[in-house]
Amino acid sequence: MAARASSPEDVGLLPLTSARLEFRPIEAADMHAIAALHADDRVARQLVDGIPDTPGKALVFILWNQPMRRKGYGTFAVRRRGEPQLIGLFSLTPFKDDDSVLELGGKLHPSAWRGGLAIEAGAAMVEYAFTGLGRDRLISAFHPENRSVPVALTRLGFAAAANTELFGKQVSTMTLAREDWLAQGSAPRRRSGRPANLCDYGLTPVTGPYDKRNGA
């Protein structure tokens, strides 16, 4: 089981891994890949936050991420293990600028939409938030017309919550408490709604800076 950080200020956002994916903090070298990801209309059309679809905007986005990175959360570049291409971004960021509540966010390039990678990436972020950062609750906000996100979040254990406004837009939200995540076995649910074993999704427990299995 991953250990809690002694203090959020002492946490460095270090690379994480799951069975098929690698997650590391975004950096300047990712600028062009981030811009290309958001320039794809299939990715950008239902986003509710800013869209860094040029290298300049992407660099601003990367700089915005730096203070969060030092606290142990923020935005991760997602790659298939052993491959150099960025295939998406997943994040844990303060919801409405409130550091006490982290929002799970994510997007993958359309080439990575199949094969359960979104569920695997989301599960990795959830585990890191609850076991690495010691958080008790997560929230996720999404465009009300996005049909795929609530399905994926439900499989991760999230439950529907009240709609709200974010960045001047109406959004739907879902939440997940740590106790509920533990009760479902710390793994995504099958499509039937029953808890699944991590192995059913090609997942292994996330490894990161506070994982005792790694000697930390």
Side-chain angles (χ1 to χ4, degrees):
M1 179 177 177
R4 292 192 179 195
S6 58
S7 166
E9 296 297 335
D10 296 332
V11 179
L13 190 58
L14 300 181
L16 308 171
T17 61
S18 64
R20 296 177 292 173
L21 301 172
E22 297 175 344
F23 310 81
R24 64 163 178 74
I26 55 173
E27 54 189 32
D30 299 318
M31 178 173 59
H32 293 283
I34 290 173
L37 174 69
H38 291 89
D40 191 311
D41 184 61
R42 294 169 294 178
V43 174
R45 67 180 58 163
Q46 290 190 326
L47 296 180
V48 297
D49 52 357
I51 302 176
D53 53 1
T54 68
K57 292 179 183 178
L59 181 58
V60 171
F61 174 63
I62 293 165
L63 293 174
W64 168 80
N65 189 66
Q66 293 304 306
M68 291 182 287
R69 172 177 177 163
R70 290 191 288 270
K71 296 181 179 180
Y73 45 81
T75 302
F76 291 87
V78 182
R79 291 174 170 81
R80 290 184 174 89
R81 293 183 70 164
E83 298 184 12
Q85 295 85 5
L86 183 148
I87 63 168
L89 301 173
F90 267 71
S91 60
L92 296 165
T93 56
F95 183 64
K96 294 188 174 182
D97 296 322
D98 181 358
D99 284 356
S100 69
V101 181
L102 293 183
E103 176 188 358
L104 171 65
K107 64 205 77 171
L108 291 174
H109 188 273
S111 64
W113 282 357
R114 295 184 180 275
L117 292 179
I119 298 294
E120 181 172 338
M125 292 290 98
V126 168
E127 183 181 0
Y128 176 64
F130 288 146
T131 65
L133 298 175
R135 296 303 181 117
D136 294 320
R137 184 172 73 96
L138 291 173
I139 191 167
S140 190
F142 52 92
H143 194 290
E145 296 180 5
N146 192 318
R147 297 182 179 181
S148 60
V149 169
V151 172
L153 289 173
T154 298
R155 292 179 65 185
L156 291 172
F158 282 74
N163 290 354
T164 187
E165 185 175 289
L166 193 63
F167 304 111
K169 301 176 182 178
Q170 288 297 310
V171 297
S172 299
T173 67
M174 298 180 71
T175 62
L176 175 62
R178 185 175 186 272
E179 60 185 13
D180 294 331
W181 175 74
L182 290 171
Q184 73 176 33
S186 308
R189 294 179 179 273
R190 295 187 179 95
R191 292 185 185 277
S192 64
R194 292 181 290 113
N197 186 283
L198 286 169
C199 298
D200 293 336
Y201 294 94
L203 292 172
T204 56
V206 176
T207 58
Y210 303 104
D211 193 328
K212 291 180 179 177
R213 293 175 300 244
N214 292 339

